[in-house]
């Protein structure tokens, strides 16, 4: 492993067009913070920079929806995002914003350097134009059908359903988001960055020099490089953003994906006015980008090519991107408010910041898309944090006060036994495993080892039973040894858990009456963290039990908000009363389609042959469906509405040509049509009379 003198960590810049949701935390902010806190505990020179991305089309779209200026939007949501990150313990050294004067100058100077070096291609091309609003349409002002997955609401730069990077020209039946008009092509001038000129270098740098990158990152980069790179426009027609610093470029701004990653550089400049170049321009700096998988191409191909072209900058050592986090079996959708918003979580669960950090790390989508459910959130809190980790810490301190007078007892080497030795070995082994896992960006694995170590602590106490040793030969010595090692393990757990659950670690330090310096990573594995004879504070519960009623309320809130379309309004909350439900307007009609769109659906009648619950998924049922010519497995989110035994023999209508999708490890081949009444009850969409399986529906 290369010996670096300093580390620079970046986390993806969130668009300041709405609050953060838990997918943002799971994707990059919690993993980045864990890594940074660990490196700080190692006493390494590390800086953690981030900020809000305040340019680009999502900002202007939000401004239009709310009837305010783009500046008002970014001011509002930058404050909300920054507050949420701070309260969740994301420990940036600086959280900046791309509207800052330093950033505007840095990005402009970067563009001008490439321009002066003759590295741009100036092209006049036909681009989509909205004749109703008289404006050129940036990628996100255009929606249409995704050519990859068939999603009817894909954007001109990306399909949020399947994650494919797109161009507006690839969309089927494109329409303007401003007026819903069919856009036309019109000539406009832009400056293009010739990515193809860097293809050979990128293939060597990514595919040969960085084979250690995560499979999802390496694979996506390889796919792009294998398909061949093309010139990409680095400017857009807009009045919101960083003005193109060239004569004759009125009404044009820097492309947001040219501008945004430079935000990492400008944030570092704000943080370290005189020393910023040490972290960006010295080869002994380790640069690490934490991102979600939708940003892989930009951070692993486009931005490195820009840095290479400019010259003088270090390139990323690693880009540990996570996959997507779904919610209750469905993809996050901010447009229909299918999301768990961080600012609302902080209001609903005060003092439970570490619980969310724990769940999102323990269930992080490190190698594949994962699913967040409120039931799993509750189970992990109650079964792991409360019943295992918190229980061990509490038992250790309670027993110390009960059996050892509230002081750290002496350790008697004369009566040490195999169980004592095994626990000491377990502590040393856990430190080594956690260290290696964090260094290699396997945070779920590291967190598991910590919880497992606390589980071994509980087993140790249960086996030793110090409360039964009073009055037996060498009884007090055995008690002392057991409590001494349990307390030393507690102190070790504080060190190991600190990068993951900093508030919890702080509570443990308070109870142990030790200073923050003890959390230095070098101290992990020591059995001299707490001095013999030292009086410790009375134990306090580290975590509280989360009740069924709290979880039911969150599930209902998620469902209700998605059905009604109510959107989060910053820190304000919209309360919907049950007696007003009937007065709520129904869901908005989706964009108009033509017959050819409908004709793409292959609808068939089917009969349910068997039904069973999917393990650890309260909403899902695994169904075997007879479609006449074949039998299909379909996973359907109807378990809250139907008992499995009620469904056998029922007729259904199935979308038979829907692309297969894995849910809880089961490949689902199709979708059953359902209707939802005003009370939220699901009903099968069906023919008036039963018909044989496999019949076409039109």
């Amino acid at each position: 492993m290369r010996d670096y003198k300093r580390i620079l960590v970046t986390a993806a810049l969130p668009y300041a067009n709405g609050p953060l949701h838990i997918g943002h935390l799971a994707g990059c902010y919690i993993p980045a913070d864990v890594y940074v806190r660990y490196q700080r505990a190692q006493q390494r020179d590390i800086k953690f920079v981030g900020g809000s991305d305040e340019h680009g089309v999502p900002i202007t779209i939000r401004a239009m929806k709310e009837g305010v200026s783009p500046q008002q939007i970014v001011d509002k949501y930058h404050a909300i995002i920054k507050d949420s990150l701070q309260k969740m313990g994301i420990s940036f050294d600086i959280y900046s914003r791309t509207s800052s004067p330093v950033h505007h100058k840095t990005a402009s100077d970067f563009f001008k350097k490439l321009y002066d070096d003759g590295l741009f291609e100036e092209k006049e091309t036909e681009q989509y134009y909205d004749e109703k609003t008289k404006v050129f349409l940036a990628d996100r002002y255009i929606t249409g059908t995704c050519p990859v997955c068939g999603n009817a609401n894909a954007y001109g730069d990306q399909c949020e359903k399947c994650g494919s990077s797109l161009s507006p020209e690839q969309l089927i039946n494109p329409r303007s988001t401003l007026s819903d008009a069919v856009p036309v092509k019109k000539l406009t001038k832009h400056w293009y960055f010739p990515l193809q000129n860097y293809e050979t270098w990128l293939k060597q740098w990514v595919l040969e020099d960085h084979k250690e990158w995560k499979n999802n990152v390496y694979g996506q980069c390889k796919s792009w490089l294998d398909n061949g790179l093309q010139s990409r426009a680095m400017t857009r027609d807009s009045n919101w953003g960083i003005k193109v610093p060239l004569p004759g470029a009125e009404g044009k701004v820097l492309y947001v994906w040219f501008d945004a990653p430079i935000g990492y550089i400008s944030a570092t400049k704000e943080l370290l006015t005189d020393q910023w170049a040490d972290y960006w321009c010295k080869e002994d700096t380790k640069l690490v980008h934490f991102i979600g998988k939708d940003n892989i191409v930009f951070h692993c191909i486009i931005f490195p090519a820009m840095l290479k072209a400019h010259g003088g900058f270090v390139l990323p050592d690693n880009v540990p991107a996570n996959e997507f986090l779904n919610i209750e079996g469905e993809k996050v959708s901010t447009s229909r408010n299918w999301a768990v918003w961080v600012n609302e979580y902080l209001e609903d669960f005060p003092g439970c910041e570490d619980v969310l950090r724990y769940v999102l790390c323990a269930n992080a989508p490190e190698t594949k898309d994962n699913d967040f459910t409120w039931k799993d959130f509750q189970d992990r809190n109650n079964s792991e944090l409360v019943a295992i980790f918190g229980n061990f810490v509490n038992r250790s301190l309670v027993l110390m006060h009960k059996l050892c007078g509230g002081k750290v007892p002496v350790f008697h080497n004369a009566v040490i036994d195999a169980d004592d030795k095994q626990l000491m070995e377990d502590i040393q082994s856990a430190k080594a495993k956690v260290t290696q896992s964090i260094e290699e960006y396997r945070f779920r694995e590291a967190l598991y080892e910590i919880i497992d170590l606390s589980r071994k602590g509980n087993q140790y106490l249960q086996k030793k039973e110090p409360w039964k040793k009073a009055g037996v030969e060498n009884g007090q010595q055995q008690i002392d040894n057991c409590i001494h090692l349990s307390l030393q393990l507690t102190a070790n757990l504080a060190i190991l858990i600190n990068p993951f659950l900093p508030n919890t670690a702080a509570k443990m330090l308070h109870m142990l009456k030790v200073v923050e310096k003890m959390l230095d990573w070098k101290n992990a594995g020591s059995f001299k963290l707490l001095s013999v004879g030292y009086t410790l504070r009375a134990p306090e519960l580290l975590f509280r039990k989360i009740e069924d009623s709290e979880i039911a309320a969150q599930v209902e809130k998620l469902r209700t908000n998605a059905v009604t379309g109510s959107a989060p309004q910053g820190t304000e909350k919209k309360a919907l009363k049950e007696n007003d439900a009937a007065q709520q307007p129904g869901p908005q009609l989706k964009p108009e389609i033509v017959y050819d769109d409908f004709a793409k659906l292959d609808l068939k009648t089917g009969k349910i042959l068997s039904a069973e619950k999917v393990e650890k998924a309260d909403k899902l049922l695994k169904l075997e469906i007879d479609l006449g010519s074949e039998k299909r497995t379909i996973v359907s989110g109807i378990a809250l509405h139907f008992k499995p035994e009620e469904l056998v023999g029922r007729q259904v209508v199935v979308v038979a040509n829907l692309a297969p999708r894995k849910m809880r490890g089961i490949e689902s081949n199709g979708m059953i049509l359902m209707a939802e009444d005003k009370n939220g009850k699901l009903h099968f969409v069906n023919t008036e009379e039963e018909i044989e399986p496999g019949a076409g529906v039109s």
Side-chain angles (χ1 to χ4, degrees), residues 7-9 40 45-50 91-96 100 102 263-277 279-280:
I7 306 170
L8 178 66
V9 170
R40 287 176 183 150
D45 182 351
I46 186 167
K47 296 291 184 286
F48 184 21
V49 304
S91 56
F92 286 106
D93 288 296
I94 184 171
Y95 187 79
S96 186
S100 74
V102 173
Y264 302 139
I265 302 172
S266 58
T268 312
K269 284 185 175 181
E270 289 183 59
L271 176 67
L272 304 163
T273 307
D274 299 322
Q275 289 83 37
W276 74 269
Y279 293 85
W280 278 102

Side-chain angles (χ1 to χ4, degrees), residues 145-340:
T145 300
C146 174
V148 179
C149 71
N151 171 29
N153 297 302
Y155 290 108
D157 62 344
Q158 187 178 60
C159 175
E160 293 190 342
K161 184 176 182 180
C162 69
S164 298
S165 295
L166 302 170
S167 67
E169 289 74 18
Q170 293 175 280
L171 292 178
I172 302 165
N173 300 323
R175 303 191 73 85
S176 167
T177 61
L178 301 181
S179 67
D180 201 39
V182 177
V184 300
K185 291 291 189 69
K186 188 174 178 179
L187 282 174
T188 184
K189 182 173 71 175
H190 286 289
W191 288 266
Y192 289 72
F193 185 61
L195 281 172
Q196 65 273 15
N197 293 353
Y198 303 88
E199 189 172 309
T200 301
W201 170 77
L202 283 165
K203 284 182 175 179
Q204 175 65 40
W205 180 69
V206 176
L207 304 183
E208 298 300 326
D209 299 345
H210 287 292
K211 291 182 178 181
E212 79 281 5
W213 285 2
K214 292 171 66 173
N215 289 338
N216 61 327
V217 176
Y218 188 90
Q220 193 176 134
C221 291
K222 187 175 187 306
S223 177
W224 260 64
L225 291 167
D226 287 348
N227 289 329
L229 301 180
Q230 299 177 353
S231 296
R232 195 176 183 102
M234 293 293 138
T235 58
R236 293 289 190 269
D237 291 288
S238 178
N239 291 314
W240 177 252
I242 299 174
K243 309 300 182 187
V244 175
L246 301 175
E250 291 76 18
K252 301 184 189 294
V253 298
L254 301 184
Y255 175 40
V256 68
W257 270 113
F258 182 93
D259 149 24
I262 296 173
Y264 302 139
I265 302 172
S266 58
T268 312
K269 284 185 175 181
E270 289 183 59
L271 176 67
L272 304 163
T273 307
D274 299 322
Q275 289 83 37
W276 74 269
D278 290 352
Y279 293 85
W280 278 102
C281 305
K282 290 188 175 182
E283 291 296 325
D284 52 2
T285 294
K286 181 179 184 178
L287 174 62
V288 184
H289 296 309
F290 284 88
I291 58 170
K293 72 174 177 182
D294 51 336
N295 292 341
I296 289 173
V297 168
F298 301 104
H299 284 78
C300 298
I301 292 178
I302 296 175
F303 187 45
M306 289 165 51
L307 295 173
K308 179 73 172 175
H310 185 287
F313 288 101
V314 298
L315 299 170
D317 178 79
N318 212 312
V319 187
N322 275 358
E323 300 289 291
F324 290 147
L325 185 73
N326 300 327
I327 296 177
E328 300 288 349
E330 299 181 34
K331 288 187 178 293
V332 172
S333 173
T334 57
S335 59
R336 64 185 189 93
N337 204 15
W338 189 262
V340 176

Side-chain angles (χ1 to χ4, degrees), residues 141 216 249 327 360 404 424 426 585 596 605:
Y141 280 123
N216 61 327
I327 296 177
L360 294 181
C404 301
M424 296 169 79
D426 289 339
D596 288 345
T605 59

Side-chain angles (χ1 to χ4, degrees), residues 396-414:
S396 298
L397 285 160
V398 166
L399 289 171
M400 177 203 65
H401 282 280
K402 185 177 180 179
L403 304 176
C404 301
K407 298 180 179 181
V408 179
V410 67
F411 188 81
H412 307 275
N413 285 299

Side-chain angles (χ1 to χ4, degrees), residues 529-549:
L529 298 175
L530 302 175
S531 300
V532 171
Y534 197 56
T535 302
L536 307 186
R537 291 188 173 94
E540 301 174 15
L541 294 179
L542 293 177
F543 309 99
R544 69 171 181 85
K545 187 179 179 183
I546 292 175
E547 303 296 336
D548 291 346
S549 59

